[in-house]
Amino acid sequence: MVLLKLKCTPERRKAVVAVTLSTSSPTCSLSTENPSAPFQIVVTLRLEQSTQPGRAVTIRRGGTAFAPSPEGGGLDTLALGTFGGLISTENPKKTINFGQWKPHYISLTEEPPSPNLKERENMHFLTIPADGTVQVCHDLPISRMFKYESSLTKDDVKPGE
């Protein structure tokens, strides 16, 4: 996965982050859920290159696959279209959509936003260590997996797909 600003020339690039996407288990049972070990999508980030070796890098993660899902409901990170969905190994036309919502956030205050990004609402940051990895996990219980899917149910999925 390459995450670059459109006009970021190689000489302006400050860091390269390697992103790996995996799951908590190679299989997911649709017949029984295990609340103590939920099926998860796992995003792993590793600092591959930096103009300042030995120093951690902090990124803004709002609106990306690295953002935490809000507690207490609302649209989770998966519903914002950060992953798309699942594709069948048997029939690539058979997919489970996680959602493609694009919310527009407004501010109801007349005060200008704080120049300190940490004080702004809905700002989330993630620090990637210089010599390690950081993981972001998104729970994907069966009830959530089919929440925004309009044409398939768990009964439409065969074992092994």
Side-chain angles (χ1 to χ4, degrees):
M1 181 184 295
V2 177
L3 305 169
L4 293 175
K5 288 185 179 179
L6 246 89
K7 297 181 181 183
C8 182
T9 59
E11 55 273 4
R12 290 189 60 220
R13 198 173 301 146
K14 304 294 182 201
V16 175
V17 177
V19 179
T20 306
L21 188 64
S22 61
T23 57
S24 57
S25 170
T27 60
C28 174
S29 172
L30 296 180
S31 57
T32 58
E33 283 196 63
N34 184 353
S36 62
F39 186 74
Q40 295 179 317
I41 294 177
V42 181
V43 183
T44 305
L45 295 94
R46 178 178 47 82
L47 194 56
E48 184 145 307
Q49 189 179 61
S50 172
T51 56
Q52 297 184 6
R55 293 188 66 182
V57 170
T58 298
I59 61 172
R60 180 176 171 258
R61 60 183 179 165
T64 70
F66 319 132
S69 291
E71 293 181 23
L75 292 175
D76 60 17
T77 299
L78 302 175
L80 301 178
T82 55
F83 294 104
L86 296 176
I87 300 172
S88 170
T89 57
E90 301 286 321
N91 179 0
K93 292 182 179 183
K94 198 174 192 180
T95 63
I96 299 172
N97 181 9
F98 292 154
Q100 294 291 321
W101 301 96
K102 300 293 179 205
H104 297 277
Y105 299 101
I106 61 168
S107 175
L108 298 177
T109 178
E110 293 181 18
E111 296 176 26
S114 169
N116 183 346
L117 294 177
K118 291 180 182 178
E119 294 174 0
R120 291 188 186 183
E121 192 176 345
N122 294 321
M123 285 288 200
H124 302 281
F125 297 91
L126 182 67
T127 299
I128 305 165
D131 57 353
T133 62
V134 64
Q135 288 187 333
V136 178
C137 299
H138 299 283
D139 287 351
L140 191 59
I142 304 306
S143 58
R144 169 58 189 92
M145 192 177 294
F146 292 93
K147 184 174 184 177
Y148 298 109
E149 175 52 50
S150 59
S151 61
L152 291 177
T153 67
K154 71 177 190 175
D155 297 330
D156 297 320
V157 179
K158 298 178 200 142
E161 275 190 301

